[in-house]
Amino acid sequence: MATQKTHTTNFINTFIEVATDCPVQLAKFPQIKTDIQTVANIQFEMVAHNPYKYTSDEVIFQVFVTKNKITSTTLQLEKEIFFSKGHACFRCSPLTKRYGWGLHCNENGKIALYALESDEYKKLSKDKNLTIVKAMRTTKIK
């Protein structure tokens, strides 16, 4: 029996800059508007409070688990199914597109957020040892 391909959203030694059409000049915290957490809330809570603890895959899967109320009894099966197909990476995250947060992925694929206006963001965006990519634009180029 052939094994299914496993997809990943992880980057190594990469810095994801905010999108060129990001609407903010200073990083913002995603506001909780209801008792239901948004993708931005979950991602921010995990990464901002735990720099370099999680990979992109771990955060994106946790968003899926939280939003779909997955129980621990089916977690491993759900994880295998989830990663058997491709998913949007942090270049599509609301944090990098709308809220002004850059994302650094270290040599182990662990991630941390940096505010657009911070010295660390500026330093990482010019680091010749990193692959620098932009977050996806929200609007289409005409």
Side-chain angles (χ1 to χ4, degrees):
M1 182 172 165
T3 58
Q4 288 185 323
K5 180 178 178 183
T6 301
H7 294 267
T8 185
T9 64
N10 293 340
F11 286 96
I12 305 294
N13 292 325
T14 301
F15 185 65
I16 301 173
E17 296 180 312
V18 300
T20 54
D21 63 345
C22 181
V24 299
Q25 300 301 313
L26 302 173
K28 291 176 42 178
F29 302 104
Q31 297 298 313
I32 298 175
K33 297 177 183 160
T34 65
D35 58 343
I36 300 171
Q37 284 188 304
T38 65
V39 168
N41 297 135
I42 299 165
Q43 290 178 343
F44 186 82
E45 289 297 316
M46 286 186 74
V47 182
H49 299 298
N50 301 287
Y52 300 111
K53 180 177 180 180
Y54 299 110
T55 65
S56 173
D57 281 352
E58 291 169 325
V59 174
I60 289 171
F61 183 65
Q62 186 58 50
V63 169
F64 173 77
V65 167
T66 302
K67 298 296 270 175
N68 292 285
K69 298 177 175 68
I70 307 244
T71 63
S72 60
T73 56
T74 62
L75 196 60
Q76 188 56 41
L77 176 61
E78 292 291 345
K79 190 172 192 175
E80 289 172 19
I81 293 168
F82 183 83
F83 286 112
S84 71
K85 52 190 170 212
H87 292 278
C89 66
F90 263 90
R91 290 185 62 215
C92 296
S93 168
L95 299 177
T96 58
K97 290 173 67 170
R98 293 186 31 221
Y99 290 99
W101 294 95
L103 187 88
H104 177 239
C105 311
N106 70 14
E107 66 278 358
N108 299 314
K110 304 290 183 167
I111 59 178
L113 291 172
Y114 292 92
L116 175 61
E117 70 277 8
S118 70
D119 290 338
E120 294 89 354
Y121 180 99
K122 291 174 185 77
K123 181 180 173 188
L124 288 165
S125 69
K126 292 176 178 29
D127 189 330
K128 301 276 190 237
N129 297 312
L130 297 175
T131 300
I132 311 296
V133 295
K134 285 273 191 197
M136 304 296 284
R137 294 175 51 90
T138 300
T139 57
K140 291 183 180 181
I141 299 174
K142 294 180 182 182

